[in-house]
């Protein structure tokens, strides 16, 4: 592979060649003679092309043998010439008249261009893979390819290139470490901006400023997802953004964001408390932090991914909670609307085995009835254990009047380096679970009904939905109240209607 384009290469020609070779190995294993790549993250991964053009159809044709060809909108072809390492003859722009037409689709033209280059028949010897679950591959685009290329057997490639991306190169790890610097800075900007009376939109603006400004040495990239700020009672729901409402006293704010550098993302979530948290929220935070620390201690190459989920839930169970949703996912290159790689999920049925230089967002979110808690770490699997990309205090982080004192204790390091979790706070350094017995959940539209009845112990757990309190069969069932005896004179008992 020779670099003949005008764009400076972010990675070496050898690394790009290795990526293409790895994709072709998977193509051969799946019986594919060609692959059509439409996910902008995968296009970037293979070719280096980077622009906000994915809202119009574009694809890379990857044959089993021969050169890749990038097809994009005509006005974007020069952008590919400026950012991709591909030679100019392998960057092809389709005419503007095909953009946003009800009776035409750009892939009609792309199919004809492939036919004019005599590339249809060679690819017809096997199946041609499509990224059927890619965000920007539309049903109309699929129909255009089916109609225009009857010789081809089009099949789902099942995120083929995404899986190649799962194990990062040393150069990719360095980009993620730089992204982590911006992650820490953005979270510190959130910490400084959160205060009673501060508008949510202003906190989001402070985060975005830090994400893009970066440092004097390097600037940040736009993230694939905007800052997410579930606040107060709405913290019981993930993936909410912001409003123009001011922050109220004793109202927790969850902040989930990512630093991005050359499209590589490092996310982080923290929960800030400008005031006094409720006992339920304190207990939930303690349980979640303990479970996160237990997972970090379990990370090592050769460990099945499902064990991480099991460790998390076993630890969470000690506090009277369980979590049905996944606790993380693979990360790396990202374009809107997602910074995840859509491959490995950290959940109990995942059979993937951890390998060195896999990278994950270990996302421990617990969403209850009227409150919630999030804490996360972006991690790399090392040859012996785990590296956390970011360094920011966990737990319910004080904000508002206490934020200056909290800021003095936080360490803004973008690359803390490989470390054994046990040398940090570890399990022994965290508060141990309470010993009160668990109580059964009460179903209500799939949720647990809050109750005013106190539990044995200082804290009453009110859990919800997938993150519900454990239904302990040993917990005694509350007997039904006995019926009041009928009055001898035939009158109705108190509270009854005669």
């Amino acid at each position: 592979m020779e670099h003949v384009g005008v764009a400076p290469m972010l990675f070496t020609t050898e690394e790009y060649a290795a990526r293409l070779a790895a994709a072709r190995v998977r193509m051969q294993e799946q019986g594919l003679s060609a692959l059509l790549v439409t996910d902008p993250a995968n296009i970037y991964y293979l070719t280096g092309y980077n622009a906000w053009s994915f809202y119009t159809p574009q694809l890379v044709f990857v044959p089993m043998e021969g050169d890749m060809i990038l097809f994009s909108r005509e006005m974007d072809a020069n952008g590919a010439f400026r950012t991709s390492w591909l030679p100019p003859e392998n960057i092809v722009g389709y005419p503007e008249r095909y953009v946003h037409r009800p009776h035409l689709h750009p892939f009609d033209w792309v199919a004809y261009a492939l036919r004019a280059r005599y590339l249809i028949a060679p690819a017809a010897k096997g199946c041609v893979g499509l990224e059927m679950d890619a965000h920007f591959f539309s049903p109309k685009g699929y129909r255009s390819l089916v109609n225009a290329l009857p010789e081809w057997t089009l099949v789902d490639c099942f995120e083929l290139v995404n899986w190649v991306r799962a194990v990062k190169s040393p150069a990719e790890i360095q980009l993620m470490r730089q992204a982590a610097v911006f992650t820490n800075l953005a979270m510190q900007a959130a910490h400084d901006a959160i205060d009673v009376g501060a508008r949510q939109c202003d906190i989001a603006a402070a985060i975005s400023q830090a994400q893009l400004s970066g440092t004097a040495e390097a600037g940040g990239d736009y993230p694939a997802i905007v800052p997410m700020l579930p606040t107060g009672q709405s913290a019981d729901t993930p993936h909410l953004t912001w409003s123009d409402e001011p922050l109220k006293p004793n109202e927790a704010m969850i902040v989930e964001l990512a630093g991005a550098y050359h499209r590589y993302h490092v996310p982080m979530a923290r929960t800030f408390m400008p005031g006094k948290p409720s006992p339920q929220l304190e207990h939930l935070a303690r349980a979640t932090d303990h479970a996160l620390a237990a997972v970090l201690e379990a990370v090592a190459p050769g460990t099945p991914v499902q064990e991480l989920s099991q460790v998390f839930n076993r630890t969470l169970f000690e506090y009277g909670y369980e979590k049905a949703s996944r606790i993380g996912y693979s990360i790396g290159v990202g374009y809107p609307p997602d910074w995840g790689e859509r491959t490995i999920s950290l959940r109990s049925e995942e059979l993937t085995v951890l390998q060195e230089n896999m990278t994950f967002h270990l996302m421990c979110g617990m969403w209850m009835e009227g409150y919630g808690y999030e804490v996360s770490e972006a991690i790399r699997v090392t040859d012996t254990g785990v590296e956390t990309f970011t360094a920011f205090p966990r737990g319910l982080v004080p904000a508002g009047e206490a934020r200056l004192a909290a800021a003095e204790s936080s360490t803004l390091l973008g690359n803390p380096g490989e470390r054994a979790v046990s040398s940090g706070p570890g399990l022994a350094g965290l508060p141990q679970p309470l010993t009160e017995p668990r109580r059964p959940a009460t179903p209500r539209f799939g949720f647990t009904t809050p109750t005013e009845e106190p539990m044995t112990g200082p804290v009453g757990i009110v859990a919800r939905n997938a993150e519900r309190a454990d239904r302990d069969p040993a917990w005694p069932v509350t007997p039904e109240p006995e019926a009041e005896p009928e009055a001898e004179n035939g009158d109705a008992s108190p509270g009854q209607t005669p």
Side-chain angles (χ1 to χ4, degrees), residues 6 8 15 36 47 96 134 162 175 187 189 233 266 271 275 318 334 364 387-389 411 429 437 441 465-466 477:
V6 300
E15 180 156 342
L36 300 182
T47 72
E96 184 69 18
N162 303 62
L175 293 177
M187 193 61 78
Q233 290 190 350
V266 171
T271 303
E318 299 173 8
C364 304
E387 170 189 347
T388 54
F389 281 110
T411 304
N465 203 13
V477 178

Side-chain angles (χ1 to χ4, degrees), residues 182-268:
F182 307 148
T183 308
N184 279 312
L185 291 172
M187 193 61 78
Q188 186 62 48
H191 191 195
D192 294 340
I194 292 173
D195 201 350
V196 174
R199 297 189 305 170
Q200 296 179 29
C201 55
D202 293 331
I203 297 169
I207 293 170
S208 298
Q209 170 74 24
Q211 286 173 316
L212 302 184
S213 294
T215 65
E217 294 74 27
D221 209 339
Y222 65 89
I225 304 176
V226 298
M228 292 180 283
L229 306 174
T231 302
Q233 290 190 350
S234 68
D236 66 357
T237 304
H239 306 143
L240 301 180
T241 55
W242 61 83
S243 70
D244 59 359
E245 291 296 316
L247 196 59
K248 299 179 178 63
N250 301 322
E251 191 174 54
M253 172 176 276
I254 291 173
V255 177
E256 184 177 357
L257 54 78
Y261 186 63
H262 288 293
R263 306 310 319 148
Y264 284 83
H265 285 66
V266 171
M268 176 168 43

